[in-house]
Amino acid sequence: MDKLETLREILRKYQKVAIAYSGGCDSNFLFQVAKETLGKDNVLAVLCIGNMMSKEDIQNARNLLKESQYCEILINVFDVDEFRNNDKKRCYYCKKTIMSKVIEAASQRGFEYVVDGKNLDDEGVYRPGIQACQELGILSPLSDSQMTKQDIRMYSKELGIITHDKPANACLASRFQYDTLLTKEKLQMVDDAEALFHQIGIHHVRVRVQDDLARIEVERKDFDKVLGNKNMISSLKELGFRFITLDLEGITSGSYDR
């Protein structure tokens, strides 16, 4: 039995699931396979909206969910002290708050099982939010079926799921060094900065913030596109950055966790 069929077998055991949905490659793949396997009436997407997400990601998620069964939950992440202070375990406390609300929303709509998009690769990196999900009883069928990120992209492409090549994204708080006080304005500045790169065709980008310095992480193949754009520096400075640098190492996941 291949991994995709294993995933379907796991979902059939649940019969009816609510999915913590972000619109990313993993959660959208899980959502589409669940609908195909269980029927759309037995699958609920729960989309959490808050300052931790970019405006573009929120709108893209909504577009993907058109004509599907879903609900939105408004999250004020600044109610979580550890998030506001960008604590090292920020993700644990934030995820516990968010997923508790997802469970509540699912239960109100008659969905007992809540699943997330965690894959096998996530278990090998620093992800304190995973512990919070486990403590709350969130299920992870992608990981349980031994699916890696590469598997998910491969199966997504085979099934014609448009997010098969969508670059991974992360909470906007991950752009700041730990123990940096976060504000809505700081997160908005990062969101606006990364949107500038999206406008010139660079979608895999991180604008890491260190005081008034923006450290730009993109794939090395995009270096020339960044350096050749004469308006980028002035546009970033208009957002409030004083210094602009390009990280010669290229884009890396969990840059501040190393």
Side-chain angles (χ1 to χ4, degrees):
M1 185 183 298
D2 70 4
K3 294 179 182 180
L4 182 57
E5 187 54 38
T6 299
L7 173 61
R8 288 174 172 145
E9 284 297 313
I10 291 172
L11 291 171
R12 289 187 188 106
K13 292 177 182 177
Y14 300 147
Q15 298 183 335
K16 189 175 182 179
V17 296
I19 297 174
Y21 187 88
S22 68
C25 177
D26 300 338
S27 68
N28 191 50
F29 168 73
L30 180 58
F31 182 59
Q32 300 303 330
V33 173
K35 284 198 301 179
E36 176 193 342
T37 304
L38 304 177
K40 63 180 183 179
D41 292 339
N42 293 316
V43 183
L44 172 72
V46 182
L47 175 62
C48 295
I49 306 295
N51 296 105
M52 67 289 188
M53 293 179 68
S54 73
K55 294 188 296 292
E56 185 176 319
D57 279 347
I58 292 171
Q59 189 54 54
N60 286 342
R62 286 171 171 160
N63 291 339
L64 289 168
L65 289 171
K66 284 181 179 178
E67 301 179 6
S68 295
Q69 182 176 208
Y70 80 100
C71 66
E72 292 186 10
I73 302 176
L74 186 61
I75 304 290
N76 184 0
V77 286
F78 292 100
D79 285 342
V80 181
D81 290 340
E82 292 82 3
F83 180 92
R84 188 172 61 254
N85 295 314
N86 205 22
D87 184 274
K88 177 78 172 178
K89 290 192 69 176
R90 169 202 74 230
C91 189
Y92 169 83
Y93 295 101
C94 188
K95 185 72 77 172
K96 197 143 196 179
T97 298
I98 290 173
M99 297 307 280
S100 294
K101 293 182 181 297
V102 171
I103 292 171
E104 181 181 355
S107 178
Q108 289 172 350
R109 291 162 176 79
F111 287 81
E112 177 184 359
Y113 296 108
V114 177
V115 301
D116 67 9
K118 184 189 79 170
N119 65 62
L120 199 62
D121 293 334
D122 292 328
E123 298 180 10
V125 291
Y126 182 66
R127 292 283 191 276
I130 290 176
Q131 180 185 346
C133 289
Q134 291 171 340
E135 290 173 0
L136 290 169
I138 304 297
L139 303 166
S140 302
L142 296 178
S143 179
D144 291 344
S145 57
Q146 302 296 298
M147 280 203 184
T148 64
K149 189 74 162 187
Q150 183 177 355
D151 293 326
I152 292 165
R153 292 195 184 281
M154 177 190 71
Y155 285 124
S156 292
K157 188 171 184 179
E158 289 180 0
L159 295 173
I161 298 172
I162 63 174
T163 48
H164 69 89
D165 60 349
K166 184 176 181 178
N169 205 352
C171 167
L172 292 174
S174 67
R175 314 308 198 261
F176 296 83
Q177 296 182 92
Y178 289 118
D179 300 320
T180 299
L181 182 66
L182 300 179
T183 64
K184 294 178 181 179
E185 292 74 21
K186 287 179 180 179
L187 297 186
Q188 186 62 59
M189 186 165 69
V190 167
D191 188 9
D192 291 341
E194 293 186 356
L196 293 173
F197 290 89
H198 298 167
Q199 290 168 15
I200 63 171
I202 300 175
H203 294 279
H204 199 192
V205 57
R206 299 285 186 274
V207 176
R208 309 284 187 189
V209 180
Q210 295 169 254
D211 297 323
D212 54 2
L213 179 147
R215 176 166 55 85
I216 311 304
E217 294 183 9
V218 297
E219 296 180 47
R220 291 187 179 186
K221 66 180 180 63
D222 290 323
F223 279 8
D224 288 343
K225 190 179 290 187
V226 173
L227 296 172
N229 190 293
K230 298 179 180 179
N231 298 320
M232 185 58 72
I233 292 177
S234 60
S235 295
L236 288 168
K237 287 192 172 183
E238 286 175 6
L239 293 177
F241 294 107
R242 185 180 178 191
F243 302 104
I244 317 295
T245 65
L246 178 64
D247 193 321
L248 298 182
E249 191 175 2
I251 192 163
T252 55
S253 177
S255 179
Y256 286 128
D257 293 326
R258 290 179 294 176

